[in-house]
Amino acid sequence: MDQILGQASHNPVAAGGALPSALDRRARPQSGFRKALRSTLHYLSYHFVLNHDGTQRAKAAGFMLEVPPTVFHPRYFISSETFAHFIDGLDLRGKVVADIGTGSGILALAAARAGADFVLALDINPNAADAAAQNAEANGYGPNVKGLCSNLMDAIPARPIFDVIFSSPPKHAGKTRDLADAGWHSGPENSNLRGLFRQARARLKPDGRMYLMISSDSDLDFFDREIADAGFKAKLALEKSIYIESFLLYELTPQDASAEGKAS
């Protein structure tokens, strides 16, 4: 852990070779009906789920989780469990992992369950960082998981540290009301997520992978540009459709990973 949080060293992201497109689809225009539906869902979610009172207990993906106020609730939003079950199928034995935007810590715990030696659970919300560490302890993964309050990966030195990075960021652009709303809205024009992929690329080992879950209603053009500009190539690893949208889980790898492997 001291090595991960030690003095930052200069290891800039490779500048060249960005693909003009990273994802396999483009953003789709939303009808007035879909915008109204999304607004209604956000209103209900914010007032009855996101902005909940008191710490709640929830069972999700096989974990018993404490979810304090302002922390994204994994029981009511199936994207969290979908991602956690995907992680169950990965072999993370011996890996060092980061979970960006950890919320209750469900993905960090899933990574530990999949064999990761160490998982750093990052969240801009201090309540979430604390919850992740406490939930890891309560579920028997305390030695493997550490919670850290951080805006994206600002608190981590820019050098290749992680074998795998997971992120399920807020999936909709829009002004963030408060900490509780930060699990839904990513700021005007996704401003809260700018730099996410460049930061991840700088901290990922050359043969590492990043897994990202977004929505078919996310600003796919924004994610496409940011992913390609950071030097990643993307492959769709999982798509789960529900009535109003699809959850899209992408595996991101450094564009020059194959070249680096041949060179070595």
Side-chain angles (χ1 to χ4, degrees):
M1 183 62 195
D2 292 337
Q3 178 185 2
I4 292 176
L5 297 180
Q7 182 67 34
S9 61
H10 295 288
N11 185 20
V13 179
L19 292 174
S21 179
L23 303 183
D24 57 351
R25 63 193 73 196
R26 302 268 64 80
R28 61 186 184 187
Q30 292 196 14
S31 65
F33 171 76
R34 287 191 66 82
K35 290 180 180 179
L37 177 61
R38 180 62 59 194
S39 178
T40 300
L41 288 173
H42 172 256
Y43 177 86
L44 295 173
S45 297
Y46 176 78
H47 288 284
F48 297 103
V49 180
L50 296 170
N51 199 24
H52 59 85
D53 294 327
T55 297
Q56 300 180 0
R57 287 178 62 82
K59 187 172 183 179
F63 303 113
M64 186 57 70
L65 305 171
E66 299 278 345
V67 186
T70 73
V71 173
F72 192 78
H73 204 301
R75 190 67 188 92
Y76 296 105
F77 300 100
I78 65 171
S79 58
S80 297
E81 284 196 291
T82 299
F83 204 159
H85 287 311
F86 173 84
I87 293 172
D88 286 338
L90 301 177
D91 182 2
L92 299 181
R93 288 175 295 178
K95 304 297 185 184
V96 177
V97 175
D99 173 22
I100 307 173
T102 193
S104 64
I106 185 172
L107 301 187
L109 270 65
R113 183 168 63 189
D117 271 358
F118 180 77
V119 186
L120 190 60
L122 302 161
D123 204 292
I124 195 171
N125 184 344
N127 299 328
D130 289 343
Q134 292 168 9
N135 284 327
E137 187 70 31
N139 284 271
Y141 298 105
N144 305 94
V145 177
K146 179 176 179 60
L148 179 67
C149 184
S150 175
N151 181 21
L152 302 179
M153 304 191 84
D154 285 349
I156 311 302
R159 61 171 183 257
I161 296 169
F162 299 102
D163 300 288
V164 181
I165 296 174
F166 297 113
S167 185
S168 183
K171 295 171 177 59
H172 307 287
K175 183 179 179 180
T176 304
R177 297 185 184 188
D178 49 27
L179 281 178
D181 197 29
W184 184 284
H185 283 134
S186 58
E189 299 182 350
N190 295 290
S191 57
N192 297 346
L193 299 180
R194 294 190 184 279
L196 166 62
F197 300 102
R198 285 186 177 275
Q199 289 187 13
R201 178 69 176 89
R203 292 154 178 81
L204 194 65
K205 294 179 181 179
D207 59 348
R209 297 161 289 159
M210 179 176 184
Y211 290 96
L212 169 77
M213 177 172 277
I214 53 179
S215 163
S216 56
D217 282 351
S218 298
D219 184 349
L220 298 180
D221 291 344
F222 165 82
F223 283 100
D224 183 88
R225 290 190 305 270
E226 292 287 309
I227 290 168
D229 288 348
F232 281 115
K233 56 185 178 181
K235 178 178 70 174
L236 186 65
L238 178 70
E239 179 170 357
K240 182 178 181 64
S241 297
I242 58 176
Y243 177 68
I244 59 170
E245 63 186 317
S246 294
F247 297 119
L248 309 171
L249 203 162
Y250 285 95
E251 180 186 65
L252 311 182
T253 52
Q255 290 181 20
D256 54 355
S258 59
E260 289 175 358
K262 292 178 181 178
S264 62

